[in-house]
């Protein structure tokens, strides 16, 4: 059985409204979850490469990425194909097809990818395209730009051969219709499923890449873009140092440029765990209402040593390393 936990009533004061955030992905402490054993340790794994790490309990996605690495492909291929598993999973209501819509019923997606050369590609607020991560890769590889938004991103995707489709599933439409009865913009930290998928991988050559993809906050204002596709916030890779990615309240991650901060802290000698902790503490220091929202980070350094930390309990993450696909509960700040 999965456990529900809701933290409500946070206001997005900078926007003047509160937005319904669905933060999901945690299970009862140390219980078995489908496909993976939940590890008891909460800190780092042994540094081994190749490896994959992803936010939340996503064993199918990490397995896909691992298989791609085992086939001798690059970390870039691994993270793209890994997160595509979640984008295609209609039961995951926070990524790709089946993602919960904005308050007007539009499913809008944000995704970005970074490679070992430090190149970056992203799409924000794209509609009707199931695999925004692959469009982000095409932006990186086939255009002189790094970020395409909205209709332009969709147009580029169609011109590149992607087929537009309806992404609002019956299940998500039903949830939206229920939400509309009260239409209250209350953030919800929900532990039932999982959320934005951020994935980092190191291939057999020791090269690092990362990907991050999301449908963003559920019932957000139309046009809202979070951290996930913004370089340095939702994702950052420096192949000399390591990588980091984020999940949670995007506005807070954006304000502190969390993933870039983590990589820079690792550059200064911090372990991935120490760097994630400091980045979460930066969010806390800057936001007096930190008790009302979740932010979680994962990171890896060049050696394959990992770290994870979040504000509130119930953020977990998955590693595939040393032939083992494992879910871990992240350590957290708010133990009161
Ligand atoms: N970070 C995502 C966003 O703000 C949502 C999430 O991970 O909960 O769009």
């Amino acid at each position: 059985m999965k456990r529900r936990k809701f933290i409500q009533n946070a206001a997005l004061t900078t926007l003047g409204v509160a937005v319904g955030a669905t933060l999901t992905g945690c299970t009862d402490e140390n219980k078995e979850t489908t496909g993976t054993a939940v590890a008891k340790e909460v800190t780092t794994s042994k540094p081994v490469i190749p490896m994959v790490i992803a936010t939340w309990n996503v064993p199918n996605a990490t397995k896909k990425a691992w298989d791609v690495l085992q086939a001798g492909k690059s970390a870039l291929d691994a993270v793209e194909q890994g997160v595509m598993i979640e984008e295609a999973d209609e039961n995951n209501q926070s990524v790709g097809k089946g993602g919960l819509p904005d308050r007007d019923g539009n499913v809008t997606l944000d995704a970005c990818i970074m490679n070992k050369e430090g190149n970056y590609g992203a799409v924000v607020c794209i509609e009707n395209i199931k695999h925004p991560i692959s469009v982000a890769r095409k932006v990186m590889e086939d255009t002189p730009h790094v970020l395409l938004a909205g209709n332009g991103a969709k147009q580029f995707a169609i011109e590149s051969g992607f087929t537009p489709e309806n992404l609002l599933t019956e299940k998500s439409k039903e949830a939206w219709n229920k939400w509309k009865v009260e239409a209250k913009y209350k953030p919800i930290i929900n532990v039932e499923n999982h959320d934005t998928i951020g994935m980092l991988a190191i291939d057999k050559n020791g090269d690092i890449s990362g990907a991050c993809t999301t449908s963003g906050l559920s019932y957000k204002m139309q046009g809202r873009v979070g951290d996930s596709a913004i370089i340095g916030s939702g994702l950052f890779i420096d192949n000399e140092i390591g990588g980091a990615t984020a999940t949670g309240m995007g506005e807070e991650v954006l304000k502190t440029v969390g993933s870039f901060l983590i990589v820079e802290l690792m550059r200064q000698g911090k372990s991935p765990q120490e760097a994630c902790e400091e980045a979460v503490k930066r969010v806390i220091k800057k936001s007096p209402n930190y008790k009302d929202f979740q932010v979680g980070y994962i990171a890896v350094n060049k050696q394959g040593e990992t770290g994870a930390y979040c504000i509130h309990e119930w953020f977990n993450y998955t590693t595939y390393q040393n032939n083992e696909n494992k879910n871990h509960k992240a350590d957290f700040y708010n133990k009161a």
Side-chain angles (χ1 to χ4, degrees):
M1 286 293 289
K2 291 182 178 178
R3 170 165 160 173
R4 281 173 174 275
K5 185 180 168 93
F6 299 102
I7 298 180
Q8 297 185 307
N9 292 324
L12 269 180
T13 47
T14 49
L15 290 178
V17 294
V19 178
T22 305
L23 269 187
T24 56
C26 303
T27 58
D28 267 358
E29 223 173 331
N30 300 330
K31 281 194 178 167
E32 288 283 313
T33 56
T34 317
T36 48
V38 178
K40 291 200 194 311
E41 77 268 23
V42 294
T43 53
T44 57
S45 59
K46 283 198 189 112
V48 181
I49 61 165
M51 63 81 64
V52 182
I53 181 168
T55 52
W56 305 111
N57 185 31
V58 288
N60 297 331
T62 46
K63 181 175 185 319
K64 178 69 190 181
W66 178 257
D67 289 345
V68 171
L69 293 178
Q70 292 307 301
K73 299 260 175 60
S74 67
L76 185 68
D77 290 331
V79 294
E80 179 190 6
Q81 291 181 44
V83 303
M84 281 171 75
I85 296 286
E86 295 304 314
E87 289 180 337
D89 180 356
E90 295 183 19
N91 287 318
N92 180 348
Q93 291 181 286
S94 53
V95 180
K97 184 156 187 171
L100 289 166
D102 67 16
R103 63 189 188 181
D104 300 314
N106 312 298
V107 179
T108 66
L109 307 175
D110 303 333
C112 79
I113 197 157
M114 264 192 100
N115 70 7
K116 64 180 170 145
E117 281 92 22
N119 292 319
Y120 158 76
V123 288
V124 295
C125 228
I126 188 170
E127 291 181 51
N128 303 111
I129 303 291
K130 183 160 79 179
H131 289 302
I133 198 65
S134 301
V135 187
R137 183 167 176 176
K138 284 209 166 288
V139 171
M140 178 174 81
E141 293 179 343
D142 298 351
T143 80
H145 307 303
V146 296
L147 172 60
L148 293 181
N151 277 338
K154 180 175 162 182
Q155 199 52 46
F156 169 69
I158 293 167
E159 282 162 13
S160 303
F162 293 81
T163 307
E165 61 185 289
N166 174 30
L167 301 180
L168 185 63
T169 55
E170 278 311 308
K171 189 176 164 192
S172 288
K173 196 171 178 181
E174 210 175 290
W176 173 56
N177 281 332
K178 268 194 199 145
W179 173 82
K180 278 196 295 183
V181 174
E182 291 198 356
K184 279 191 184 152
Y185 300 110
K186 283 184 179 174
I188 298 168
I189 298 177
N190 179 343
V191 299
E192 269 195 317
N193 196 331
H194 58 82
D195 211 83
T196 294
I197 175 165
M199 181 181 279
L200 312 167
I202 308 181
D203 59 31
K204 65 175 178 16
N205 299 324
D207 290 322
I208 309 173
S209 290
C212 190
T213 179
T214 190
S215 54
L217 298 185
S218 44
Y219 320 127
K220 59 197 174 188
M221 291 173 74
Q222 191 171 9
R224 180 264 187 193
V225 173
D227 63 306
S228 302
I230 305 301
I231 188 170
S233 291
L235 176 73
F236 196 71
I237 303 292
D238 183 329
N239 198 36
E240 283 175 30
I241 306 297
T245 187
T247 184
M249 188 61 82
E251 283 71 7
E252 304 299 330
V253 176
L254 280 163
K255 286 193 288 185
T256 51
V257 200
S259 294
F260 182 71
L261 174 63
I262 290 169
V263 172
E264 290 308 299
L265 289 167
M266 292 195 290
R267 192 190 307 278
Q268 289 163 23
K270 300 246 186 242
S271 70
Q273 183 62 31
E274 289 166 340
C276 288
E277 290 181 19
E278 193 162 330
V280 165
K281 285 174 189 160
R282 183 76 56 90
V283 170
I284 287 162
K285 197 171 163 199
K286 298 281 177 195
S287 296
N289 63 330
Y290 73 87
K291 291 203 170 145
D292 300 326
F293 61 81
Q294 175 69 295
V295 166
Y297 292 111
I298 57 171
V300 65
N301 64 15
K302 192 73 181 159
Q303 291 70 44
E305 186 185 13
T306 62
Y309 200 66
C310 58
I311 301 177
H312 303 287
E313 199 173 7
W314 310 120
F315 166 52
N316 59 24
Y317 63 101
T318 311
T319 56
Y320 210 133
Q321 201 165 22
N322 226 355
N323 275 319
E324 203 179 3
N325 203 5
K326 223 178 185 183
N327 189 254
H328 312 254
K329 183 180 173 198
D331 196 8
F332 57 99
Y333 177 85
N334 188 21
K335 295 194 168 121

